[in-house]
Amino acid sequence: MNDHTKADPTPYAEVEALLRDEFASIHSSTTVTRCVEAAHYGALEVTGYAHPSLVERIARKHLHVLALVASERG
């Protein structure tokens, strides 16, 4: 048995990559990942399912709000 099996990629890997590129000048990749994870769990709680397009829309809104807050703080 091989102990070095490759983990299944997250269904949101493409969403994370897209948002990392889109917000590269504003947010760290860690922040993007946290927003995608929060969007995933939020969608599950509200709708019972977290389709990647829904997770992307929610995460993008989170990232826009974080950027707005950061810009207002100066």
Side-chain angles (χ1 to χ4, degrees):
M1 188 181 325
N2 185 355
D3 288 352
H4 299 287
T5 58
K6 186 183 278 190
D8 289 337
T10 173
Y12 310 110
E14 289 182 26
V15 170
E16 283 187 45
L18 176 73
L19 294 174
R20 263 193 234 109
D21 289 345
E22 185 176 333
F23 290 92
S25 64
I26 303 167
H27 298 300
S28 69
S29 61
T30 303
T31 299
V32 172
T33 299
R34 284 195 338 250
C35 285
V36 169
E37 289 172 353
H40 164 81
Y41 290 114
L44 282 177
E45 285 183 21
V46 173
T47 67
Y49 184 68
H51 190 275
S53 65
L54 177 60
V55 170
E56 179 183 342
R57 289 192 329 244
I58 295 168
R60 181 176 280 112
K61 289 191 184 284
H62 288 179
L63 292 163
H64 279 293
V65 168
L66 288 174
L68 179 63
V69 168
S71 72
E72 289 180 353
R73 287 184 180 169

